[in-house]
Amino acid sequence: MSSNTTKYNKPRKKPQLWLALQLHQLPLNCCRQNEQPIHSHSNQAIVVVEKFRVTHLTQGAAKLGITTNMPIATAQALGNITQLESTPQKQQQAINILQDICYRFTPYIETQHNNRHTGLLLEISRCLLLFDGVDSLYTQLTQALNRTPFEYKLAFGHTKHAAWLQTFAQSQQVDYSQKILDTLNTLYNSKRSTVNTAERCRAFFIEQLNRNAIHLLHNHPKAIESLDKTGFQTLKDIYNHIETNGLASLSKRLGTDFTEYLAELYDIDQGTKQTSLFQPPARTYQPQETFCQHIQFDYPIANSEQLRQPMQTLLQQLDDFLRNRQQQIQRFYWHLFDIYQNKDTLVVNGNGLSGQHHTWQQLLELSIIQLENKSLAFEVDILELECQHLQQSQHTSQALAFDGKHNNQGSNAFELTLARLQSRLGEHAIYKVSAHDSHIPEHTNVKIPPTANANTQLTPAQHNAWRPSWLLHEPIAIRMHKNTLYWYGQLQLLQGPERIEGHWWDTPTARDYFVAQREDFVRLWVFYDLFLKEWFVQGVF
């Protein structure tokens, strides 16, 4: 009887290839001078300031002796400079633009932020076949990036930390040599992949990493100082120590955060001192979707009624777009252009109606309401529909209609009425009132959007004490004549006082409240302000 021996092969680990883009001059590139982007090689003396210190500067400013982290007062004393403030919002917009560019090449994109260094990390090993290798992908990506005003440093690595660290090894951006690109093409050729391919790729990048000095690990200053005192000079010294003694010896001396970073940097399993068997999944980037379509007319339109049909066409396209992606909108924009590119915009509050059935008809009605409220500023040559900030549809349960008839009137009647009112009266004219915990009566409720959830939990004082059903938004002064109070008639105090104090940390408030009755028998809630020495009416019972 023969026995079959089953051979278990070591699981094949697919090699990853990360590409890091360090946007080392992003705050500078996002600033503008005479509507032109600013580059670090400019001979003009320009600095970017954050918290009264220089964070980025041009070549012209460096020639004056200005350095990063220098107090702005010192920099101004060195010469005539142009001082610009950091703009985080514009920097985020730039990152979004670069993410969309990189998304053409790979969906695996992560952002990197640490110690004023910003960049993108791309995992590209799974996209190489589509672009015919590393060389072709690198060429197309750099061509796309070079069309933007943003400066960058680029580096490859077998882990994202290795690629990011390598961007600091370059003093300035240089093109990768054809020799290195050919080597990467050979290593990451999926047709020639073997069991040892991942280890060969790892060995290639570790050799590149180990040439760097330990001071490149600037995110771990305490660990660098300790290693420097011990005699470590390069990353190769650290790697050789790990190969011999493992990470545990470093962990006791330098902390777990640093050793975990080294494990991720070199792709090492901390327990076995061998290459990690499993890799964490790369994050996928979801680009922000927008809808923007336009119609150009054969002749300019001067009558708003003629815009109804083209509006309907664009809204039907929008409805298909949203349904296919199971998304909805809160508002959308109609842009009207004349032949000279003058622009007029109508804002329509959809209030999420695009998640309902046949909503293009409802949105058309809201658009016509907005259009009727104003006259055309010019003859319209182009009509454009734009929607930004699309949201995922909120799915709701509905009863099954076996007769094939669907009735959505009850489900969205309130939403449609609300949207109509907001279109006619303005978005902020319709609101809810929500309870707010405060000692000061006029601050016990706040206005919130009509679709938001209101807080209905009242304070114990509101439950147990006399409170009017109509609370005035702001107290109104009461006239006093010969020790008698008058507010649209003579007042008589019936009950009180109830002292209410608050806001001692800001504007101290102290009031004595009374229930008063007017001569027409209307009961009011009034108070005497102990600081102002005046009487006010607060509400009506």
Side-chain angles (χ1 to χ4, degrees):
M1 184 174 178
S2 62
S3 61
N4 295 327
T5 303
T6 303
K7 182 179 180 181
Y8 292 94
N9 293 325
K10 183 180 179 181
R12 180 183 298 185
K13 179 179 177 181
K14 295 183 178 180
Q16 287 191 336
L17 179 60
W18 287 85
L19 188 150
L21 295 173
Q22 184 194 149
L23 307 171
H24 58 296
Q25 298 292 348
L26 185 63
L28 186 65
N29 299 152
C30 287
C31 295
R32 293 289 185 271
Q33 190 175 45
N34 299 326
E35 300 302 322
Q36 295 298 320
I38 302 172
H39 293 87
S40 60
H41 52 72
S42 172
N43 289 323
Q44 298 182 13
I46 303 173
V47 299
V48 176
V49 179
E50 183 178 346
K51 295 181 179 179
F52 303 104
R53 289 189 175 273
V54 175
T55 59
H56 296 78
L57 64 155
T58 60
Q59 183 177 340
K63 291 179 179 178
L64 296 176
I66 300 172
T67 59
T68 56
N69 208 35
M70 176 181 287
I72 184 58
T74 306
Q76 290 173 338
L78 293 175
N80 186 18
I81 61 173
T82 300
Q83 175 185 336
L84 302 173
E85 296 294 331
S86 179
T87 54
Q89 184 177 2
K90 291 184 178 179
Q91 293 172 39
Q92 185 57 52
Q93 292 174 354
I95 291 174
N96 294 340
I97 292 172
L98 292 169
Q99 283 178 318
D100 289 339
I101 292 175
C102 295
Y103 187 69
R104 305 174 197 169
F105 301 90
T106 175
Y108 307 105
I109 305 173
E110 299 181 18
T111 55
Q112 181 76 12
H113 299 283
N114 55 35
N115 288 351
R116 293 183 178 173
H117 297 116
T118 302
L120 299 177
L121 301 171
L122 319 178
E123 206 291 308
I124 61 174
S125 62
R126 310 174 205 190
C127 312
L128 296 178
L129 186 61
L130 179 64
F131 289 92
D132 196 24
V134 179
D135 189 1
S136 176
L137 187 148
Y138 168 82
T139 301
Q140 294 182 51
L141 177 61
T142 52
Q143 287 176 350
L145 293 173
N146 290 339
R147 287 193 288 268
T148 70
F150 310 114
E151 300 175 69
Y152 62 91
K153 295 180 181 180
L154 181 150
F156 292 99
H158 66 301
T159 66
K160 59 184 178 183
H161 293 292
W164 180 250
L165 194 65
Q166 281 294 94
T167 61
F168 292 95
Q170 304 177 34
S171 58
Q172 57 184 1
Q173 172 61 25
V174 293
D175 291 335
Y176 266 76
S177 67
Q178 191 61 45
K179 181 179 178 181
I180 294 180
L181 293 174
D182 290 341
T183 302
L184 293 176
N185 271 329
T186 302
L187 288 172
Y188 287 90
N189 189 336
S190 59
K191 297 179 181 178
R192 302 176 186 174
S193 179
T194 65
V195 176
N196 297 324
T197 297
E199 192 57 40
R200 289 174 56 219
C201 296
R202 175 174 176 270
F204 172 78
F205 284 112
I206 287 178
E207 182 184 355
Q208 304 291 321
L209 273 176
N210 286 344
R211 298 173 183 174
N212 298 313
I214 62 170
H215 296 89
L216 209 63
L217 305 173
H218 48 76
N219 287 336
H220 304 273
K222 293 183 179 179
I224 292 176
E225 182 180 1
S226 179
L227 289 169
D228 194 25
K229 292 178 181 178
T230 314
F232 289 82
Q233 295 182 351
T234 65
L235 292 180
K236 185 176 182 180
D237 296 334
I238 298 177
Y239 183 74
N240 289 340
H241 181 86
I242 296 172
E243 289 283 286
T244 305
N245 304 300
L247 283 166
S249 60
L250 293 177
S251 179
K252 295 177 182 178
R253 211 155 29 110
L254 306 176
T256 56
D257 289 343
F258 182 64
T259 52
E260 286 176 1
Y261 171 76
L262 291 177
E264 295 176 357
L265 176 68
Y266 284 110
D267 191 20
I268 297 174
D269 187 283
Q270 294 194 58
T272 63
K273 297 188 296 182
Q274 297 178 356
T275 306
S276 177
L277 184 61
F278 301 103
Q279 294 167 331
R283 301 176 192 170
T284 55
Y285 168 68
Q286 296 295 332
Q288 181 182 353
E289 289 193 90
T290 59
F291 177 89
C292 187
Q293 295 291 339
H294 71 273
I295 293 177
Q296 184 166 11
F297 304 115
D298 295 332
Y299 54 88
I301 290 179
N303 186 353
S304 60
E305 183 63 29
Q306 293 176 295
L307 293 175
R308 175 184 287 269
Q309 186 58 44
M311 279 183 167
Q312 175 178 324
T313 302
L314 291 175
L315 286 172
Q316 287 173 335
Q317 294 178 14
L318 171 64
D319 191 66
D320 292 338
F321 179 88
L322 295 172
R323 289 174 182 274
N324 291 337
R325 291 160 176 78
Q326 296 187 0
Q327 292 177 323
Q328 65 183 33
I329 55 173
Q330 291 296 327
R331 61 179 54 84
F332 55 95
Y333 305 87
W334 290 107
H335 301 302
L336 312 176
F337 299 89
D338 66 1
I339 59 175
Y340 304 105
Q341 292 302 303
N342 294 316
K343 180 180 177 181
D344 193 14
T345 299
L346 299 176
V347 182
V348 181
N349 187 357
N351 203 40
L353 290 177
S354 50
Q356 305 293 338
H357 188 58
H358 293 312
T359 56
W360 67 264
Q361 297 164 329
Q362 300 162 351
L363 298 180
L364 177 61
E365 182 179 352
L366 297 177
S367 301
I368 296 302
I369 290 174
Q370 284 282 34
L371 198 60
E372 289 174 348
N373 289 339
K374 62 179 300 183
S375 57
L376 296 180
F378 42 69
E379 294 184 340
V380 181
D381 182 54
I382 297 176
L383 175 66
E384 181 179 87
L385 174 59
E386 179 188 16
C387 299
Q388 300 177 349
H389 309 298
L390 304 182
Q391 302 174 352
Q392 197 67 26
S393 295
Q394 301 297 320
H395 301 288
T396 56
S397 300
Q398 295 181 357
L400 293 175
F402 295 101
D403 57 358
K405 298 179 180 179
H406 298 273
N407 184 9
N408 290 325
Q409 292 299 112
S411 62
N412 59 21
F414 171 74
E415 289 83 357
L416 182 57
T417 302
L418 179 63
R420 286 171 176 165
L421 289 173
Q422 289 179 323
S423 295
R424 288 191 180 275
L425 304 178
E427 184 176 350
H428 301 291
I430 312 297
Y431 56 86
K432 276 184 181 178
V433 176
S434 178
H436 179 67
D437 189 8
S438 175
H439 291 289
I440 309 305
E442 61 265 29
H443 297 161
T444 54
N445 56 67
V446 292
K447 297 178 181 179
I448 61 173
T451 55
N453 294 326
N455 176 24
T456 59
Q457 299 296 322
L458 301 180
T459 63
Q462 292 171 317
H463 275 294
N464 302 326
W466 277 58
R467 291 294 182 266
S469 56
W470 179 20
L471 195 68
L472 300 179
H473 180 63
E474 292 290 343
I476 300 176
I478 298 175
R479 183 172 63 89
M480 188 172 186
H481 179 65
K482 295 182 179 180
N483 294 327
T484 303
L485 302 176
Y486 293 89
W487 190 71
Y488 296 102
Q490 184 176 335
L491 304 181
Q492 180 183 358
L493 301 181
L494 300 180
Q495 180 179 329
E498 174 193 355
R499 178 158 296 183
I500 296 179
E501 296 178 300
H503 280 205
W504 55 266
W505 61 91
D506 184 13
T507 304
T509 302
R511 302 170 178 175
D512 283 340
Y513 277 84
F514 299 83
V515 176
Q517 180 173 284
R518 201 163 56 189
E519 55 189 359
D520 57 357
F521 302 104
V522 173
R523 295 198 172 187
L524 306 170
W525 200 36
V526 302
F527 68 86
Y528 179 72
D529 192 305
L530 299 177
F531 288 103
L532 299 178
K533 307 298 182 183
E534 294 182 9
W535 287 86
F536 296 85
V537 59
Q538 182 81 70
V540 181
F541 287 95

